[in-house]
Every structure is written in C-alpha cells, then in structure tokens.
Amino acid sequence: MASRVIPGPQTPLALRKVSLEGNPLPEQSYYKLMGLDSTIAHLSLRNNNIDDHGAQLLGQALSTLHNSNRTLVSLNLGFNHIGDEGAGYIADGLRLNRSLLWLSLAHNRIQDKGALKLAEVLRPFELTHREVVERRRLLLEKGSQERSRSPSSSRHGDSKTDRDKSQMVGVSSVALVDKAEKIQSMKPPKGLGKKKEKSGELVKKEEKSGPGQSPTQATPKKEEATKAGKGKVTIPEQKMSKGKGTKTGSKEKRSILLESEHLGHSLNYNQHSKTQLVVEATEMVNPLLEPVEHRDGKVFMPGNKVLLHLNLLRNRITEVGLEGFLTAVQYQVQVSRPKTSSKGPLGLLWLSLAKNCFDPQCPTYIMIQELMLPRDPVKAKALCLPELSRC
C-alpha cells in the first residue's frame, strides 16, 4: 500500500529547548549542540559528569576570537565536576559572547581561582595580545570599507569580511516589564504614523525593515510572542530584501521573549512571578569593536553586561572569591542602565553565591546582597507588595 505524503508547513520547525540531564557522554561532545548553525536557545546539561575538559569545549562553543554563539540564551551546567580550570574556560567564552543571559554552575567544584575568573569578565578586563591584534585588524577593515563605500554601492551585498564579522551579535536593548505594563506600552501613540509620513521618516523606516513592512509591525510581533506561553523564546526569522546582505552595524529583526524569575537549579518558572524579559538584538557588532579604555599601555574592554543571571550555589568559594564579585557587582551597578530606559543592557540582575565556604554574615557577602537586592525584579517586587497593600 502506497504511503501518502502530507505536505508540511512552509517554514521548518526549529529546535529551541534541549535537556540532556543525567546523560553523561564519555567524549563530552555536548558542545556540538552550540554550533554556529544551532537554533537551540535553552540547553540543560545537569548531572552529566562534565569536567574541566568538557567545560573547555563548551567555553570555546560560547565564543572564540573569530566566532560566537548568538542563539543560546540559557545554559545549565549544575551538578557536574567543573573546577577552577573549567570555570576559567567558561569565563573565556563569556568574554566575547553577547547572547547568553542565564548561566548556572551550581553544585560544582569551583574555588576562588575560578570564581575570580568569572568575576573578571563582569567588569572591565584586559585584552590579550591576540585580541588587541584582531581588534586593530577589524578597525582597519571597518575604516577602509567606510572610505570605499559610496551611496551607490551601499545597496549591494557586503564582502566576505563583512559576513565574517557579522557572526558576532551584540545585544544592545533589554527591557524588563510586567505583562500588563508590556501590553499597554505596545500600543502606538495616536497620530504617530501621520507625523512620520509628513517628515519623510516613514520611507526611511520601510527601506530598513524591508518592502511591505511598516516600522510599527515589530511591536505587535512581541505581543503575539507573549501569548505563545511561558518560558518560550521566540526569534522571528530575519527577512532580507533581495540583493542586500547583512551589514555590520545594521539592525537585525530579532527579538527574544523570556519569562524569568529568581531561578534556582532549573528553568522552571514560578506561577506567581510573571515578570517578563524582552531582549532585542539590534546591533550586529563585534564586541572587539566596543569602546575601550587605555591604561598604562594596556587595553581594557567593558565587562560583559549582557549576562543577567549567574548561579554559583554550593561551590567552594571563600571570602577571597567574594571580593572579586563585590568589585564586579559595584561596576555593574554603576554602569547598568535604569530599568525604565529603553536602550542598553540591564547588567547582572541575579547572583547566587549561597552555600559556599564563607560565613553568610561576612561583610562582603552582605554588601553584595544589599547591592543586588534592588536589581532583582522578583525580590524587589515582593518587597513592594506589602507597601501597596497598605495604600
């Protein structure tokens, strides 16, 4: 009997969430799930006997000098055998990665050396010699392309070097709002389209967003993704007009909706906490092209301000490692934008350091908690509820 083939949807289904908890592999080849062509946004590798070698492979999958994963949003490496060396490899992967928002290294074997490496990438860190050389090369290429590019040639596809550089994405816009506030803020102001038509800005917006798409169409897409369900990450496909390539510095039509809470060991979301995290990757920028600071003949790049949650529960960190995180948190608080702003990364919002090798009442740990408490959207909201009930 001949089988009948039922035609499927026009767009192929993309794998977004993968959980391989309790599935140890001798070759520790989990990094293959994080390739440049991967669509996975949530990856959980708990309890897989991952050691420092496996962490090295995962760190290289997060980012190298020339490539960076730009789809993975959360990575759970809890309950493994990662020590200081492995934590250092993960920290190296966070140097040039600008997509990972949530990282758990809970229940591992990380001591002060590894903790200090992780804390280092959260504040301005010194570029290595290879990174400095690569930065200079990128700056020279960017300058020569800008000089040679004319208005008539700007519509043509970019060169191979442009495409290589566009492999790294910089997340430049993060919003943290409640669902009700989000839906209300999505409604465009009355008369907005008419004003833009008069000033001629609407034509420019249409050219950037592609034919047949208005500038206000991106907002309803976020609202539709909100209705898709909790914990889902929605990445609309990028629509490009024919004959136009992705340019370094151009806006990418991509948004991520991630319902978040104060996460513990896994990505299980609290029913009572419905704070929503909206992340827009708007700039295709290599992190090495970010503004740097020169001090004593050394080049320092701004710390990673895209990572929102770092879980180091139940490791072997002492007060020495706490000092490194205190410096990092102070920097994050100083440079991160207010939650009401619409541009720039939020910076670190959650930092779990409990059940390590230090006294919970030590001044350094208490100071870290005091700095992080107002930044935690769930705890800050819980503290405000009693005050609202009195009114």
Side-chain angles (χ1 to χ4, degrees):
M1 180 177 179
S3 60
R4 184 177 60 179
V5 178
I6 301 176
Q10 296 295 328
T11 56
L13 295 177
L15 189 63
R16 298 299 185 199
K17 290 184 179 182
V18 173
S19 177
L20 289 177
E21 300 180 1
N23 287 278
L25 300 177
E27 63 276 15
Q28 302 193 53
S29 55
Y30 307 103
Y31 67 96
K32 294 182 179 180
L33 298 170
M34 300 164 52
L36 295 178
D37 57 346
S38 172
T39 61
I40 297 175
H42 299 287
L43 179 60
S44 182
L45 300 173
R46 296 172 65 206
N47 194 24
N48 282 331
N49 296 332
I50 298 175
D51 56 16
D52 290 342
H53 174 64
Q56 179 182 12
L57 299 175
L58 292 171
Q60 292 172 350
L62 285 175
S63 77
T64 62
L65 189 61
H66 302 288
N67 296 309
S68 177
N69 179 287
R70 57 178 181 174
T71 57
L72 193 65
V73 176
S74 65
L75 177 61
N76 195 335
L77 298 175
F79 293 88
N80 281 291
H81 303 155
I82 300 174
D84 284 344
E85 188 177 353
Y89 290 128
I90 298 296
D92 290 340
L94 294 175
R95 292 171 71 92
L96 301 179
N97 181 285
R98 294 298 180 268
S99 65
L100 191 67
L101 305 178
W102 191 92
L103 173 63
S104 176
L105 290 166
H107 292 264
N108 276 278
R109 303 172 180 177
I110 301 172
Q111 302 182 39
D112 291 331
K113 185 178 178 181
L116 291 174
K117 288 284 293 182
L118 290 167
E120 180 184 357
V121 297
L122 299 176
R123 62 178 190 267
F125 55 86
E126 180 184 353
L127 293 181
T128 64
H129 175 72
R130 292 183 60 199
E131 290 171 341
V132 171
V133 172
E134 179 66 11
R135 170 181 162 80
R136 291 175 179 173
R137 186 186 70 81
L138 293 175
L139 288 173
L140 288 174
E141 286 187 358
K142 182 180 178 182
S144 61
Q145 289 165 6
E146 289 178 351
R147 288 191 297 269
S148 61
R149 183 173 295 157
S150 61
S152 60
S153 63
S154 62
R155 292 181 176 271
H156 296 287
D158 295 324
S159 62
K160 182 178 182 300
T161 55
D162 285 332
R163 292 193 296 271
D164 291 341
K165 292 195 312 182
S166 66
Q167 289 178 348
M168 290 189 177
V169 60
V171 178
S172 60
S173 179
V174 182
L176 186 63
V177 294
D178 290 336
K179 279 189 175 180
E181 297 175 356
K182 178 65 182 175
I183 295 175
Q184 292 179 359
S185 62
M186 284 178 181
K187 297 180 181 179
K190 295 182 179 180
L192 179 62
K194 296 181 180 179
K195 292 181 181 179
K196 290 189 176 181
E197 287 180 1
K198 292 180 181 180
S199 59
E201 293 178 2
L202 182 59
V203 178
K204 298 180 181 179
K205 291 289 184 179
E206 289 179 350
E207 291 179 357
K208 292 183 179 180
S209 57
Q213 180 181 2
S214 65
T216 57
Q217 283 180 347
T219 302
K221 286 183 180 180
K222 297 178 186 177
E223 187 173 359
E224 292 174 2
T226 306
K227 299 177 181 179
K230 298 186 299 179
K232 292 186 177 181
V233 174
T234 302
I235 306 178
E237 297 296 332
Q238 181 177 357
K239 297 182 180 180
M240 299 173 60
S241 56
K242 296 181 180 180
K244 295 183 181 180
T246 305
K247 301 178 182 179
T248 302
S250 62
K251 292 187 177 181
E252 182 189 7
K253 308 298 183 297
R254 187 170 78 107
S255 64
I256 300 173
L257 300 182
L258 173 65
E259 286 196 0
S260 60
E261 60 151 341
H262 188 70
L263 302 173
H265 303 302
S266 63
L267 285 172
N268 296 324
Y269 296 92
N270 191 337
Q271 297 287 342
H272 303 288
S273 174
K274 295 187 177 180
T275 303
Q276 191 171 40
L277 178 68
V278 180
V279 185
E280 293 182 0
T282 57
E283 295 291 338
M284 298 290 290
V285 178
N286 190 315
L288 288 175
L289 294 177
E290 294 178 2
V292 297
E293 181 181 355
H294 297 268
R295 295 186 310 214
D296 301 327
K298 300 178 181 179
V299 183
F300 289 83
M301 193 170 75
N304 187 324
K305 298 187 292 294
V306 175
L307 187 68
L308 302 180
H309 177 99
L310 178 59
N311 188 353
L312 290 167
L313 182 76
R314 289 190 182 276
N315 278 273
R316 303 172 183 177
I317 304 171
T318 69
E319 294 187 26
V320 176
L322 285 182
E323 291 290 343
F325 279 110
L326 176 59
T327 304
V329 168
Q330 289 172 338
Y331 167 77
Q332 293 273 332
V333 171
Q334 180 182 2
V335 301
S336 300
R337 68 171 175 82
K339 297 176 184 179
T340 56
S341 176
S342 60
K343 293 183 179 180
L346 285 169
L348 196 65
L349 299 183
W350 300 274
L351 178 61
S352 303
L353 292 168
K355 308 298 181 180
N356 275 276
C357 300
F358 56 81
D359 185 358
Q361 300 300 321
C362 71
T364 305
Y365 183 60
I366 293 177
M367 192 175 301
I368 291 175
Q369 288 184 308
E370 291 176 351
L371 289 172
M372 293 302 299
L373 182 60
R375 301 177 60 77
D376 189 324
V378 177
K379 288 186 177 180
K381 185 177 180 180
L383 291 175
C384 293
L385 289 177
E387 298 295 333
L388 293 175
S389 62
R390 296 173 186 174
C391 299

